Amino acid sequence: MKWLIGNLKMNLINSQEREDYLKLFKKEKKGKRLKNVEIILCPSFTHLESFANYFKGEEIKIGAQNLFWEKSGSFTGEVSPETLKSLGASAVIVGHSERRKYFQETDKMINLKIKAAIKTGISPIFCVGENAKEKEADLAAKVIAKQVMAGLEGIPRSQLGNIIFAYEPVWAIGTGLTPCSNEILSAKLLIRKMLVNKFGLKYAQAPKIIYGGSVNFKIADQVCMASEMDGALVGGESLSPHSFLKIAEVLDN
Ligand code: 13P
C-alpha cells in the first residue's frame, strides 16, 4: 500500500474556493479505482470539518497541518489534538520545515506534538530533511539523524507503526528541484537504520517512509517507486485535483 498525502498549506482561502476544490476533487476522483493508494488531504484547520463531512464514507482521509500538545486550556490561538480528532482528522503533519523556519518550532516541540498526536489516536506525519546549506556542507545525514532521534524521544516502540515519516529536503520544497532516486533511498535507509538501532528490527519495519518536495506526476515514479518510498507528501500539485490524482495513479501501479 502507498500513501499519498496532500498538504494544501495556507490555500483555499475562502469558502467558495474550498467548495470549488471539493467538487472538482470528487469529479476527478469519480470512476478512478485506486487499489493500492491511501489518500490523505490536509487542509487548513478551518476547512477540516467541511472536508471530513464531504468525504464521509469515501476512501479519502483527512489530516491537519499542525496541532498543539496540550489537550485544553489557556493557549490562545492553538488547536487541541482532541479538537482535530472530533472534526474528523486521522493524521496531522508535524515538524514541517515551514513551521520550523517561520514559527521557530524546535525538535523538542515537535517531539511533544508527536506524542500528543499518538496519545489522541492521530497519526503524525513527521517531516525531516536538510536545507540547502546543510546539503552543501554534506550534513544531510547528520541533520536527518538528529531530527529523527529528537522527535522520537520517549515514544514507545509499540507506537512506532502509527508514525509516517516524510523525508522532505527543504531545498526541494516548491523549487522544482528533487534529489535523485539514490539520494532519496539513502535517506530512507538512514531513517530505517536509526529505527532498527533504537527500537529493534521488528518494530523498525512498521512505519511508512514517504518523500516530499516538488512531486508531480511526471517524477512520481522516480521519487517514489524507483527510490522504494511508501508514498509522497505533495504541496503545490495537491491544489489541482487533476494533477494530484494523476500522481495517485502512478503510485497505484
Ligand atoms: P511542494 O510539493 O510544493 O514542493 O511542497 C512540498 C511540501 O512542503 C509538502 O509538505
Side-chain angles (χ1 to χ4, degrees), residues 5-9 93 96-98 127 166 168 172-177 212-216 233-238:
I5 303 175
N7 177 4
L8 296 163
K9 306 197 179 181
I93 298 171
H96 193 281
S97 61
E98 285 152 18
C127 303
E168 282 212 313
I173 296 176
T175 58
L177 303 170
S214 292
V215 179
N216 60 48
L233 178 54
V234 179
E237 293 283 300
S238 68

Side-chain angles (χ1 to χ4, degrees), residues 101-113:
K101 180 175 170 192
Y102 300 123
F103 303 97
Q104 287 74 46
E105 284 198 8
T106 63
D107 287 331
K108 176 74 194 149
M109 291 157 81
I110 290 160
N111 173 248
L112 290 170
K113 290 183 177 200

Side-chain angles (χ1 to χ4, degrees), residues 119-161:
K119 193 170 162 205
T120 316
I122 301 174
S123 295
I125 302 157
F126 174 22
C127 303
V128 298
E130 79 284 0
N131 64 28
K133 250 193 187 155
E134 291 158 347
K135 179 180 164 58
E136 260 166 47
D138 210 12
L139 290 172
K142 204 168 162 194
V143 169
I144 296 167
K146 178 178 167 283
Q147 291 174 343
V148 169
M149 291 315 278
L152 295 179
E153 188 64 43
I155 308 264
R157 59 188 187 177
S158 58
Q159 299 293 339
L160 207 53

Side-chain angles (χ1 to χ4, degrees), residues 202-214:
K202 184 174 143 210
Y203 292 92
Q205 306 291 358
K208 308 270 175 205
I209 306 178
I210 66 174
Y211 169 78
S214 292

Side-chain angles (χ1 to χ4, degrees), residues 61-126:
K61 296 208 169 89
I62 307 304
Q65 297 173 16
N66 186 24
L67 80 167
F68 192 55
W69 54 80
E70 295 288 348
K71 191 171 168 183
S72 64
S74 304
F75 303 104
T76 304
E78 293 298 325
V79 178
S80 160
E82 291 288 340
T83 308
L84 301 184
K85 194 174 174 187
S86 76
L87 294 180
S90 58
V92 59
I93 298 171
V94 179
H96 193 281
S97 61
E98 285 152 18
R99 296 218 54 89
R100 293 180 192 258
K101 180 175 170 192
Y102 300 123
F103 303 97
Q104 287 74 46
E105 284 198 8
T106 63
D107 287 331
K108 176 74 194 149
M109 291 157 81
I110 290 160
N111 173 248
L112 290 170
K113 290 183 177 200
I114 291 173
K115 283 182 183 154
I118 290 175
K119 193 170 162 205
T120 316
I122 301 174
S123 295
I125 302 157
F126 174 22

